[in-house]
Amino acid sequence: MRTNVISCGDRSTRIARRLSVSRDDRAALTPVLKRGELGVVLCLFGTEGNTSLEDLESANEALGDSVNKSNMRWLLTLLLISVSSLVHGLSSSGSRLLVVIEEAADQEKYSQFWSDLRGRGYSITFESPKNEKLALLKHDELAFDHVILLPPKSKGLGPALTPKLLLDFVNKNGNILLALSGDSSTPTAISSLLLELDIQLPPDRTSLVVDHFNYDTISSSEKHDVLLLPQPSSIRTDVRQFFGGDGTIAFPRAVAQELGNLSPLLAPILQADSTAYSYNPKEEADTVEDPFATGSQIALVSAMQARNSARFTVLGSVEALENVWFDAFVQGVQGPKGKTANREFARQLSEWTFMETGVLKVGRVEHHLSSIEQEKSGNNSVTKLGYLNPKIYRVKNDVTFTVELSEYTQTHWSPPTIPASDALQLEFTMLSPFHRLALLPVQFTPNSTLYSTTFTLPDQHGIFAFKVNYKRPFMTSVDVKREVTVRHFAHDEWPRSWMISGGWVWIAGIWVTIAGWVAFAAIWLWSEPAFDAARGKKIQ
């Protein structure tokens, strides 16, 4: 009889049913199933499901010694797994990374960058754009979670990496890091792809960004095409900063990008200084009359976060990822000599692009009447009472809305914190918002934060919706919508007339009328004329 060893729980009845042990023998299963100091139960079952209790006992005795000897091995394995989980990061959307590089020999130029990615748990696949079998989607599903596109030396990226296929990859929640280089002309396919995202490149496709006031005097003392820039700061006070630091970034031979003003999905990560401009080095003129872009109009690194929260990052200088610039020492025109922060910036950029940072997740979404509280006796659970997330409310009800948010940071989910200059807001809306309220943190858990608010429903019946629409640069979108019906007062729910101050005048008028009529009747009866018996008539 062929057997397999499996791990089982502690409930002897459930295991006995699974192993087809007779009901009379179930009581005897408990001492058999509880062998092993780790609480790991080893059972033996036949493929035909007819294993007897005696077979289990004999098999467990044979495995008892090996279980005790392997306990220490299991402890060491679990310890190593726990330690490795603290060291290695992993993207919230997957670890399959495709690197498209035309020349395999060029991989060594970026070996430190690849080493950092592998150290964070990524499985890297290198492919040439000329590979005819390359496919980003297989059976309409993602073949890779992330893609790094290095600039090709040929005129295009091949049939597997057309602009349409790359956009389809983004629409399937894939993330792309596209690197450009001023040493080679930008292919038309890449320019067309970026135009779809409202990112414009120089029309001559060979332009560089130079700065005669902020350049590396060691490596580009004549051409001034190695820009020295501080690590970026926050673009707004209400925007989280994922790329900050105190170091200096070296950007050799960067390609300028100009972002459209109408797209809310675009955001610059790193911009050039006010003294920088873009020009074509093939032009031998001493002056540039009509540059493509100047100053802060030039985005050296830009980001597009799609409506499905997929990320597309454009790096203007692929040379900034090379080993040479990870360990290089640079010196500005007036500043001291120091080491570059390219390695740290490359880590920050790849972490954000591959969704290791800036990822928000919605957990519980609850709304209920505010009068239902856990502290009250008899109301230990609003869920048990059936009052959690009702479909219908009444006008002027006091309602509490709660949403749970988690933020992914490098390795785990953690409770997010909204900046003091920002606000997470709830809208209670029909066609337009009737309420717009700030959601405040009320409870923190090891991996989430609960935001809540309480308000009174408007005096308007109809179909309403709770909406939380939180969209910020470099953060995944939070879009929550829950529809409810708000009814008017029932006939027995209106307040009594004496409770309405506006009706006191009419109530007083009614009682005055009643009192006046009673008084009139009493006076009329009391003032009846006397009767003269002799004359046989009443005396006026």
Side-chain angles (χ1 to χ4, degrees):
M1 177 178 65
R2 182 168 59 89
T3 59
N4 296 316
V5 178
I6 61 169
S7 62
C8 309
D10 292 331
R11 297 182 180 180
S12 59
T13 303
R14 180 171 57 85
I15 300 300
R17 290 175 179 172
R18 182 174 179 180
L19 299 177
S20 300
V21 178
S22 62
R23 183 177 299 176
D24 297 336
D25 291 337
R26 290 178 186 173
L29 272 174
T30 302
V32 178
L33 294 175
K34 289 185 177 180
R35 299 282 179 87
E37 297 178 359
L38 285 177
V40 178
V41 182
L42 297 179
C43 301
L44 206 65
F45 71 96
T47 56
E48 298 178 359
N50 296 321
T51 304
S52 64
L53 183 61
E54 290 76 8
D55 293 334
L56 285 174
E57 291 177 346
S58 60
N60 197 67
E61 290 175 358
L63 292 173
D65 296 336
S66 62
V67 169
N68 293 328
K69 292 179 181 179
S70 63
N71 284 349
M72 186 60 67
R73 188 180 304 168
W74 278 104
L75 285 174
L76 292 175
T77 302
L78 292 175
L79 181 61
L80 290 175
I81 293 174
S82 301
V83 172
S84 63
S85 64
L86 295 177
V87 176
H88 297 291
L90 191 63
S91 168
S92 61
S93 60
S95 60
R96 299 172 299 172
L97 174 60
L98 171 66
V99 177
V100 180
I101 183 169
E102 190 167 0
E103 299 293 339
D106 293 339
Q107 296 179 17
E108 293 300 324
K109 294 181 180 180
Y110 316 97
S111 59
Q112 294 187 30
F113 184 50
W114 310 140
S115 177
D116 292 345
L117 291 173
R118 289 192 179 97
R120 302 210 308 266
Y122 288 97
S123 175
I124 303 179
T125 302
F126 295 94
E127 290 289 350
S128 171
K130 300 177 182 178
N131 186 358
E132 297 180 355
K133 296 183 179 179
L134 177 62
L136 300 180
L137 301 176
K138 291 184 178 179
H139 307 294
D140 205 30
E141 295 293 335
L142 293 179
F144 301 95
D145 302 306
H146 321 283
V147 173
I148 297 179
L149 296 175
L150 300 185
K153 297 180 180 179
S154 58
K155 295 183 179 181
L157 291 174
L161 299 172
T162 62
K164 182 181 182 306
L165 293 177
L166 291 173
L167 291 178
D168 290 341
F169 180 78
V170 173
N171 291 332
K172 290 287 186 178
N173 298 317
N175 306 303
I176 296 178
L177 173 59
L178 172 64
L180 305 175
S181 175
D183 287 342
S184 59
S185 61
T186 305
T188 306
I190 292 181
S191 299
S192 301
L193 171 64
L194 296 181
L195 282 177
E196 294 283 345
L197 308 179
D198 205 10
I199 300 176
Q200 287 188 339
L201 298 181
D204 49 26
R205 297 187 297 172
T206 57
S207 292
L208 294 176
V209 179
V210 296
D211 191 339
H212 302 300
F213 297 90
N214 300 282
Y215 64 93
D216 181 24
T217 58
I218 299 176
S219 60
S220 64
S221 58
E222 296 182 359
K223 296 183 178 180
H224 303 173
D225 57 356
V226 179
L227 309 184
L228 297 184
L229 299 167
Q231 289 184 256
S233 58
S234 180
I235 60 176
R236 293 202 316 251
T237 57
D238 60 340
V239 175
R240 292 274 299 277
Q241 177 56 268
F242 298 101
F243 315 99
D246 299 327
T248 299
I249 306 173
F251 257 74
R253 294 171 290 283
V255 177
Q257 310 158 41
E258 190 175 14
L259 308 184
N261 297 324
L262 300 179
S263 176
L265 307 177
L266 292 175
I269 295 177
L270 183 63
Q271 294 174 296
D273 283 334
S274 59
T275 53
Y277 64 94
S278 175
Y279 89 109
N280 188 353
K282 295 182 179 181
E283 297 178 359
E284 298 180 356
D286 294 334
T287 60
V288 180
E289 296 182 357
D290 189 14
F292 168 73
T294 60
S296 59
Q297 295 177 343
I298 300 175
L300 300 175
V301 183
S302 57
M304 191 281 297
Q305 185 166 257
R307 300 188 187 278
N308 62 353
S309 295
R311 293 170 175 176
F312 193 108
T313 303
V314 183
L315 176 64
S317 173
V318 69
E319 289 83 0
L321 303 178
E322 293 181 357
N323 301 338
V324 175
W325 295 104
F326 274 19
D327 302 322
F329 284 86
V330 294
Q331 185 175 10
V333 177
Q334 298 178 350
K337 184 177 181 180
K339 190 177 181 180
T340 64
N342 285 36
R343 188 166 193 168
E344 180 184 359
F345 181 71
R347 176 185 58 81
Q348 295 171 340
L349 190 65
S350 59
E351 282 179 348
W352 183 85
T353 304
F354 301 150
M355 304 193 77
E356 294 181 51
T357 56
V359 179
L360 295 177
K361 180 180 69 172
V362 179
R364 291 181 296 163
V365 179
E366 300 175 353
H367 54 87
H368 57 81
L369 293 173
S370 301
S371 59
I372 307 300
E373 299 177 358
Q374 296 183 359
E375 288 77 7
K376 291 185 177 181
S377 59
N379 293 337
N380 295 327
S381 174
V382 294
T383 306
K384 181 178 179 181
L385 295 175
Y387 292 139
L388 187 63
N389 299 335
K391 297 295 183 182
I392 187 169
Y393 288 102
R394 195 206 67 203
V395 296
K396 296 186 177 182
N397 272 150
D398 291 331
V399 175
T400 297
F401 180 87
T402 304
V403 61
E404 181 184 21
L405 295 182
S406 301
E407 181 180 358
Y408 193 82
T409 53
Q410 281 91 24
T411 60
H412 61 283
W413 293 100
S414 60
T417 302
I418 304 298
S421 57
D422 195 9
L424 179 67
Q425 293 183 327
L426 167 71
E427 289 184 352
F428 191 70
T429 177
M430 186 185 288
L431 295 178
S432 59
F434 278 69
H435 288 288
R436 184 179 286 118
L437 307 168
L439 290 167
L440 303 177
V442 295
Q443 183 180 350
F444 295 92
T445 67
N447 55 8
S448 65
T449 303
L450 271 70
Y451 294 88
S452 182
T453 189
T454 300
F455 64 98
T456 301
L457 297 183
D459 191 8
Q460 173 70 43
H461 64 277
I463 306 298
F464 286 81
F466 297 97
K467 286 185 178 181
V468 178
N469 190 4
Y470 185 77
K471 295 179 180 179
R472 299 294 184 272
F474 310 124
M475 301 289 291
T476 56
S477 302
V478 175
D479 192 2
V480 176
K481 181 179 179 181
R482 298 291 186 271
E483 290 188 353
V484 293
T485 301
V486 178
R487 63 174 178 84
H488 51 69
F489 280 96
H491 69 281
D492 58 348
E493 292 179 328
W494 291 98
R496 297 299 181 180
S497 57
W498 57 80
M499 298 177 63
I500 303 174
S501 59
W504 292 349
V505 175
W506 308 102
I507 295 174
I510 293 173
W511 285 107
V512 167
T513 302
I514 294 174
W517 184 86
V518 172
F520 173 78
I523 294 173
W524 175 266
L525 294 176
W526 179 79
S527 60
E528 181 181 3
F531 182 76
D532 188 357
R535 299 176 61 180
K537 62 179 182 180
K538 293 181 179 181
I539 300 175
Q540 298 295 333

